């Protein structure tokens, strides 16, 4: 029998925010970035920290502590800052799209404007290809530091000129991801689109007092992917295989 889709076609992951120091974050900081299609939520599980955002409201800081949820839509630049043991459950719309390259990192403008330089700066070595964990960590930290360099320039521009200062980055981000969108649509249709279709069918049936769709209910369970946590944008990630493409 086919397993049910995870609710809403979302993805979840457990994030331990990097403890790598930055100039303004001695206890650690992630890599600032934006998503081009997906809304992201941080459900704070432990520790303390903040998420900084650059968006239509300009620069803002949102405290993170257990029990607090912060979420932000596509186009909003966000940066997780660790103030001590920060762990969050990340809930992401459009499961499969972030993993397929939906995110754009805030490298300096000249890097983001050059697809080849951007790809080289964003890539991490793979353990499967013989890289050690230390080598992957060093590359992830270098990627983070380059993202912070671009982020500092963006934040200064937004504080000086307002949210319109983000328009060049948004345009460059759209150029970067445009070639991937045909594949993204396939992923989206198999997850979110399929989930929405199931709800549509249920509403149509129930409107006529038909219980036909209720017999289709199934139960599923998934364990976290085995092996060490992977190096994500903002920290070490534990993930679950929840989408049809996993």
């Amino acid at each position: 029998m086919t397993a049910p889709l995870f609710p809403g076609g979302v993805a979840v992951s457990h994030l331990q925010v990097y403890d790598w120091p930055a100039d303004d974050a001695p206890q650690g900081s992630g890599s600032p970035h934006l998503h081009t299609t997906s809304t992201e939520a941080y459900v704070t599980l432990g520790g303390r920290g903040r998420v900084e955002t650059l968006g239509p409201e300009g620069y803002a800081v949102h405290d993170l502590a257990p029990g607090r949820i912060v979420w932000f839509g596509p186009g909003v630049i966000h940066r997780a800052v660790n103030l001590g043991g920060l762990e969050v459950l990340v809930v992401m719309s459009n499961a499969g799209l972030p993993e397929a390259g939906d995110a754009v990192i805030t490298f300096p403008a000249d890097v983001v404007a050059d697809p080849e330089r951007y790809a080289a700066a964003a890539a991490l070595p793979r353990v499967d290809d013989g890289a050690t964990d230390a080598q992957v960590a060093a590359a992830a930290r270098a990627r983070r530091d380059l993202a912070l360099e671009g982020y500092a320039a963006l934040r200064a521009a937004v504080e000086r000129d307002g949210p319109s200062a983000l328009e060049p980055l948004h345009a460059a981000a759209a150029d970067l991801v445009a070639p991937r969108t045909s594949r993204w649509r396939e992923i989206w249709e198999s997850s979110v689109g399929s989930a929405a279709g199931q709800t549509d069918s249920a509403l149509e049936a129930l409107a006529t007092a038909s219980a036909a769709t209720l017999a289709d209910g199934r139960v599923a369970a998934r364990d976290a992917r085995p092996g060490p946590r992977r190096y994500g944008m903002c920290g070490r990630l534990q993930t679950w295989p929840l989408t049809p493409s996993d």
Side-chain angles (χ1 to χ4, degrees), residues 151-166:
Y151 172 74
L154 285 166
R155 177 176 164 183
V158 167
E159 292 180 331
R160 181 184 64 244
D161 302 325
S164 62
L166 297 176

Side-chain angles (χ1 to χ4, degrees), residues 9 13 34 44 81 119 146 149 153 156 181 189-190 203 212 217 222 241 244:
S13 57
L34 61 83
T44 313
V81 175
L146 188 62
E149 181 182 331
T181 54
E189 288 175 349
S190 69
L203 290 173
R222 294 288 187 273

Side-chain angles (χ1 to χ4, degrees), residues 105-122:
I105 307 171
T106 61
F107 296 140
D110 59 326
V111 177
V112 178
D114 185 326
E116 291 187 2
R117 291 179 65 194
Y118 179 89

Side-chain angles (χ1 to χ4, degrees), residues 223-240:
D223 293 321
R225 287 189 170 93
R229 291 171 177 263
R230 69 179 181 85
Y231 288 89
M233 299 288 185
C234 291
R236 300 297 301 271
L237 287 170
Q238 180 183 63
T239 61
W240 287 263

